Amino acid sequence: MPELRGKGLDTPVQWVKGVGPKRSVVLATEGVVAVRDLIYYFPRRHLDRTTVTLIRDLEKDMPATVVGKVEAGGFRISKRRKYYQMIVNDSTGFLTCTWFNGADYIKKVFSVGDKVAFHGKIDFFKGLQMIHPEYDILTDEESDPLHTGAVIPLYPSTQALKSVGLDGRGFRRIINSALDFLEDNREEFFDEELLTGQGLIQLDDALRFIHFAPDSDRLSQAMRRLKFDEHFFLQLLMALRKIGITESKGRVMSKVGPYLKLIYEQLDFELTQAQKRVLKEIRQDMGSPKVMNRLLQGDVGSGKTIVAILAAAIVVGNDAQVAVMAPTEILAHQHYGVFESYLKKVQITTALLVGKQRSSERKKILEGIAEGRVQVVVGTHAIIQEDVRFKDLGFVVIDEQQRFGVMQRGKLLEKGFNPDVLIMTATPIPRTLAITYHGDMDISLLDEMPKDRQPPMTRKVNEDTLKKVYSFMCDQVEKGRQCIIVYPLIEESEKSDLEAAEAGFEYLSAKIFPKLKLALLHGRIKKEEKDEIMDRFSANEIQILVATSVVEVGIDVPNATVMLIENAERFGLTQLHQLRGRIGRGSEKGYCILVERKITETSRRRLDVILRINDGFEISDEDLKLRGPGEFYGTKQHGYLKWKIADLVKDGSIIREARKAAFDVIEEDPHLTLAGHEKIRKRFMRDYQHMLPMVNVS
């Protein structure tokens, strides 16, 4: 084998000592093609002797890592439910590990005699136990961390990798060889000033210590440096996007115009201080030459729509048009109804543009938009179709942006010349996600509810107590109020879920509420029928609405006071909170009843949060902890971020520090051309080039 030192980190991985052609083929399936890829193939976990607890020292509720030998395992049945239990021994005592979900799979994972590291929270039920612990099956070398070194790296591995000898020990050997390439190929791109200011170690040291740390302190330093790097470059992207938007010249809407005051004076309620603050922020943006790019976060019922209406009034007062885009037809109709009810009082012309409209009606609306006679357009993605041409689009409002693709938003903005943008969301976004995914935007918070809004009372019930709930719903209907029953709808199993909703509707109509007027609403119903059902429900001609969760954002009937959510354990926390916000929107108190049918440890934790907390921002933080950022947002829209070591849930302080550092760099050097920033630019172009279409930078 030739001398390779000094040939660079782009050297094919097969030339690393211990790899060769056969292993390189298997490594390529894991994305490891070059030496650099192998060096950045980080351990998924480290087994640190200081974190291993002997079974005899375990206490209830403590998080712990236990290393022990599998003594026995088998299925158990309790209350007609099958689960898997395993007994582990570390010579100081016994620990029971229990799995309620995936029991058949778990049985195949372990064999008696396996040495395993288990990670989880200690519970006590007829002895010490862990419920659904994380685990790592260890080699003989790894299973005794007290005698093999302070910190053992544990690498991701597949059957294919193991088949060519790349288990834990095999990986450690080839990565140790790969690290030799760092001697003549320094990766550092930060200058000493930034490193010192942020308290970061050199990158080469971090790359060595993440694999082979002599102690836990050096491992922590390595993890912090490598996490900082990933967050820094994403924030650099956000800074470039923001400066690109800031440098774009927009319209200066210097006039408040006649409409704002007229609408404001006709309101039959007092704006909250939060609404007044946000309106002031929007007004300042509109009055400046920069293009507004603002995210408006507000809990369900916090009054985002009236803020958007008043902002639209300012724009129309400056002789420009407004487009409001909603993700569903139901929500578009709802927004149109509210916008039109306020704007018609001051003679502002509003139109609704959705997918299924008569051609004659659509043609008339399009002509009005093109000629400027239609001043405010509310609609779905139908607004972005090619034949929709604005005379002078100055303001774009997008509701629940995460339900749209990036390209859809872009097509709408192209219909005007640098229009101001307001994104609204009723999904409160945790701070770490807000500055990560929306770091290019200014953020406004509606963190105050209107004075007349009472938080709904939330209760959890099981199948046995449903009769009492149904009786309570009948009492509410007798008092003239209405109820909503929601069934879950999850994309992968849409057919079966729809069948469950239809079967539930038939059962409720025939057996539970035979004397009441019920209707079924779901995503496959034709638009005309859907509109008719919603109109009848709004008019209290339908007393109980049975619906799938696909309509969660479209129900806004103040007279609805009870929401019964079936199989509540299948919903995310944020979704449950949004559904709950759809009732009790009038003067009467609302009641949200969660039916839990399949109890798991995760569902119990999730539902306990929704019972305990009413504040959407707190709930979003808890939801992020339980589900992670991918599920929180939906991987389809946000799958372009593939972290190697960063953690959006746990890295809050690092994200904020990396954001400040990145924004400081771009403020000083917007095009990264100064001598001290050339290596940052080179690294950015090498590893983040696929994200460049999202920014106006070359």
Side-chain angles (χ1 to χ4, degrees):
M1 187 177 289
E3 176 61 45
L4 292 169
R5 190 164 293 167
K7 287 202 173 182
L9 300 182
D10 293 321
T11 301
V13 72
Q14 77 175 77
W15 297 112
V16 173
K17 183 180 178 181
V19 178
K22 186 176 179 181
R23 284 180 168 179
S24 68
V25 170
V26 180
L27 284 168
T29 64
E30 298 297 312
V32 178
V33 177
V35 173
R36 179 181 286 106
D37 302 324
L38 187 55
I39 291 172
Y40 277 85
Y41 194 80
F42 297 147
R44 60 187 161 80
R45 203 192 324 268
H46 293 81
L47 193 57
D48 182 353
R49 69 181 182 187
T50 63
T51 66
V52 176
T53 306
L54 297 174
I55 291 176
R56 71 184 178 200
D57 297 328
L58 296 175
E59 296 178 4
K60 188 177 185 296
D61 294 330
M62 71 183 289
T65 294
V66 173
V67 175
K69 186 170 71 171
V70 176
E71 296 288 351
F75 289 107
R76 303 282 187 273
I77 296 178
S78 176
K79 295 182 179 178
R80 293 175 295 173
R81 188 180 183 196
K82 185 171 77 170
Y83 59 96
Y84 192 78
Q85 278 196 332
M86 198 163 62
I87 307 299
V88 178
N89 173 30
D90 72 351
S91 77
T92 72
F94 293 92
L95 174 71
T96 302
C97 296
T98 304
W99 287 267
F100 293 104
N101 296 329
D104 293 325
Y105 169 76
I106 291 295
K107 181 183 184 298
K108 299 173 185 176
V109 171
F110 301 104
S111 300
V112 172
D114 282 349
K115 293 176 181 177
V116 187
F118 293 99
H119 320 270
K121 186 178 177 181
I122 300 301
D123 203 347
F124 193 91
F125 178 72
K126 298 180 180 178
L128 296 167
Q129 70 168 333
M130 279 187 187
I131 308 292
H132 287 276
E134 296 182 53
Y135 56 85
D136 296 287
I137 299 176
L138 307 176
T139 63
D140 288 340
E141 179 190 63
E142 294 167 339
S143 66
D144 195 3
L146 296 174
H147 297 97
T148 57
V151 181
I152 303 293
L154 303 174
Y155 292 95
S157 190
T158 62
Q159 286 302 319
L161 289 167
K162 289 176 182 176
S163 71
V164 291
L166 292 180
D167 55 6
R169 182 182 299 185
F171 257 116
R172 285 194 291 278
R173 285 176 176 165
I174 63 172
I175 286 175
N176 190 45
S177 298
L179 290 172
D180 289 342
F181 283 71
L182 289 176
E183 291 184 22
D184 293 330
N185 298 282
R186 296 188 74 246
E187 281 277 274
E188 189 56 75
F189 43 81
F190 288 146
D191 58 28
E192 285 298 327
E193 183 181 353
L194 194 150
L195 289 173
T196 303
Q198 295 295 332
L200 300 172
I201 64 173
Q202 291 280 340
L203 179 56
D204 289 3
D205 289 336
L207 290 171
R208 293 180 189 281
F209 293 157
I210 197 67
H211 296 290
F212 302 109
D215 53 54
S216 57
D217 286 342
R218 245 85 61 98
L219 175 60
S220 295
Q221 291 174 354
M223 292 184 73
R224 184 175 184 278
R225 169 61 205 264
L226 296 169
K227 284 172 177 280
F228 185 94
D229 288 0
E230 290 195 351
H231 290 304
F232 175 86
F233 281 104
L234 177 63
Q235 291 303 321
L236 201 69
L237 176 78
M238 293 300 169
L240 288 167
R241 282 182 65 173
K242 191 162 189 175
I243 202 165
I245 293 166
T246 303
E247 289 179 350
S248 299
K249 296 300 180 186
R251 180 198 309 267
V252 178
M253 301 193 194
S254 55
K255 301 182 293 183
V256 175
Y259 303 114
L260 177 68
K261 186 179 179 184
L262 287 171
I263 295 173
Y264 184 82
E265 288 175 345
Q266 293 181 54
L267 295 178
D268 57 1
F269 56 88
E270 178 70 20
L271 293 182
T272 65
Q273 291 303 311
Q275 287 172 315
K276 292 176 182 177
R277 182 186 69 241
V278 169
L279 270 171
K280 184 178 179 182
E281 292 166 351
I282 292 171
R283 176 75 189 98
Q284 287 172 342
D285 283 352
M286 289 179 166
S288 73
K290 75 167 189 173
V291 176
M292 179 170 74
N293 189 35
R294 188 167 288 279
L295 174 69
L296 175 57
Q297 286 192 72
D299 221 337
V300 176
S302 60
K304 296 181 296 299
T305 306
I306 190 62
V307 169
I309 289 169
L310 293 170
I314 296 173
V315 176
V316 175
N318 282 268
D319 304 317
Q321 290 169 291
V322 178
V324 182
M325 188 161 74
T328 66
E329 286 199 9
I330 287 180
L331 191 55
H333 277 270
Q334 179 183 311
H335 277 324
Y336 172 72
V338 179
F339 269 78
E340 202 258 349
S341 67
Y342 284 102
L343 299 181
K344 71 179 179 182
K345 296 176 183 177
V346 294
Q347 282 77 55
I348 292 177
T349 307
T350 310
L352 175 69
L353 198 60
V354 292
K356 297 176 181 176
Q357 287 178 300
R358 290 194 302 273
S359 57
S360 58
E361 180 186 7
R362 179 180 171 80
K363 182 181 177 183
K364 184 178 178 182
I365 292 171
L366 294 183
E367 288 174 353
I369 295 170
E371 294 168 6
R373 288 182 284 104
V374 172
Q375 296 156 298
V376 177
V377 184
V378 181
T380 59
H381 59 276
I383 296 178
I384 66 176
Q385 293 179 6
E386 285 188 20
D387 60 349
V388 181
R389 297 180 179 86
F390 287 81
K391 182 180 181 183
D392 188 7
L393 179 62
F395 182 40
V396 168
V397 180
I398 300 177
D399 198 15
E400 299 296 351
Q401 176 195 224
Q402 73 273 15
R403 294 172 180 246
F404 295 103
V406 175
M407 298 302 294
Q408 288 177 310
R409 172 185 167 185
K411 284 182 179 178
L412 181 54
L413 300 185
E414 288 169 3
K415 293 186 179 292
F417 178 73
N418 293 336
D420 286 333
V421 179
L422 182 70
I423 308 281
M424 301 195 302
T425 178
T427 306
I429 302 167
R431 179 174 168 78
T432 53
L433 287 190
I435 63 178
T436 300
Y437 290 115
H438 302 285
D440 59 322
M441 306 185 78
D442 295 310
I443 297 177
S444 292
L445 296 178
L446 285 179
D447 50 6
E448 180 184 0
M449 296 296 283
K451 292 176 183 177
D452 61 341
R453 285 297 302 271
Q454 304 176 60
M457 182 180 292
T458 308
R459 292 289 183 267
K460 182 175 72 173
V461 299
N462 57 33
E463 208 172 344
D464 298 334
T465 54
L466 270 177
K467 284 186 179 179
K468 291 182 181 178
V469 175
Y470 293 147
S471 176
F472 175 71
M473 293 169 72
C474 288
D475 290 342
Q476 289 287 297
V477 170
E478 280 184 20
K479 294 176 181 177
R481 295 162 201 157
Q482 293 162 278
C483 306
I484 303 166
I485 299 175
V486 178
Y487 284 84
L489 183 61
I490 298 174
E491 188 176 349
E492 290 79 5
S493 55
E494 183 174 343
K495 187 174 185 297
S496 62
D497 284 312
L498 182 54
E499 287 171 356
E502 289 173 337
F505 172 71
E506 295 296 333
Y507 170 74
L508 293 167
S509 300
K511 302 292 185 182
I512 306 299
F513 306 112
K515 297 180 180 179
L516 302 182
K517 296 174 184 174
L518 279 70
L520 175 64
L521 187 66
H522 56 76
R524 295 188 184 182
I525 290 177
K526 291 181 180 178
K527 174 189 170 297
E528 294 78 11
E529 188 180 351
K530 196 180 294 182
D531 292 344
E532 182 193 354
I533 290 171
M534 287 306 300
D535 289 343
R536 288 173 58 213
F537 189 58
S538 297
N540 202 358
E541 294 172 11
I542 293 170
Q543 296 160 315
I544 297 180
L545 183 67
V546 180
T548 58
S549 58
V550 75
V551 297
E552 74 190 68
V553 294
I555 299 171
D556 186 14
V557 177
N559 192 50
T561 57
V562 180
M563 176 170 285
L564 178 71
I565 302 177
E566 274 286 356
N567 292 103
E569 71 279 355
R570 291 178 58 181
F571 293 83
L573 272 176
T574 304
Q575 191 180 27
L576 285 172
H577 181 63
Q578 285 195 318
L579 285 167
R580 175 170 64 181
R582 295 292 149 195
I583 43 96
R585 296 170 74 92
S587 57
E588 301 295 335
K589 190 168 184 64
Y591 302 87
C592 180
I593 301 163
L594 311 173
V595 184
E596 184 181 31
R597 292 186 180 272
K598 187 177 180 181
I599 303 170
T600 66
E601 187 65 23
T602 302
S603 71
R604 185 180 288 112
R605 290 203 308 269
R606 186 185 301 140
L607 297 185
D608 283 349
V609 169
I610 206 78
L611 291 170
R612 204 167 25 90
I613 302 173
N614 269 302
D615 180 83
F617 292 96
E618 269 191 79
I619 286 172
S620 69
D621 284 329
E622 295 294 329
D623 205 11
L624 181 63
K625 291 174 189 174
L626 286 170
R627 295 199 294 158
E631 285 187 62
F632 185 94
Y633 269 123
T635 53
K636 289 182 181 177
Q637 285 80 7
H638 298 268
Y640 60 84
L641 292 176
K642 295 180 181 177
W643 306 107
K644 290 182 181 294
I645 197 167
D647 186 326
L648 293 180
V649 179
K650 300 175 182 176
D651 295 349
S653 61
I654 298 176
I655 293 172
R656 289 187 283 274
E657 291 163 10
R659 176 178 171 80
K660 185 179 186 309
F663 274 69
D664 286 348
V665 165
I666 295 303
E667 186 176 349
E668 178 189 355
D669 183 13
H671 302 288
L672 298 175
T673 53
L674 297 179
H677 297 149
E678 286 176 355
K679 290 181 179 178
I680 291 177
R681 180 184 176 89
K682 185 178 179 182
R683 174 68 181 269
F684 182 86
M685 295 299 291
R686 187 189 78 199
D687 294 343
Y688 295 85
Q689 195 168 7
H690 64 290
M691 297 170 73
L692 282 175
M694 300 170 64
V695 297
N696 296 318
V697 64
S698 58

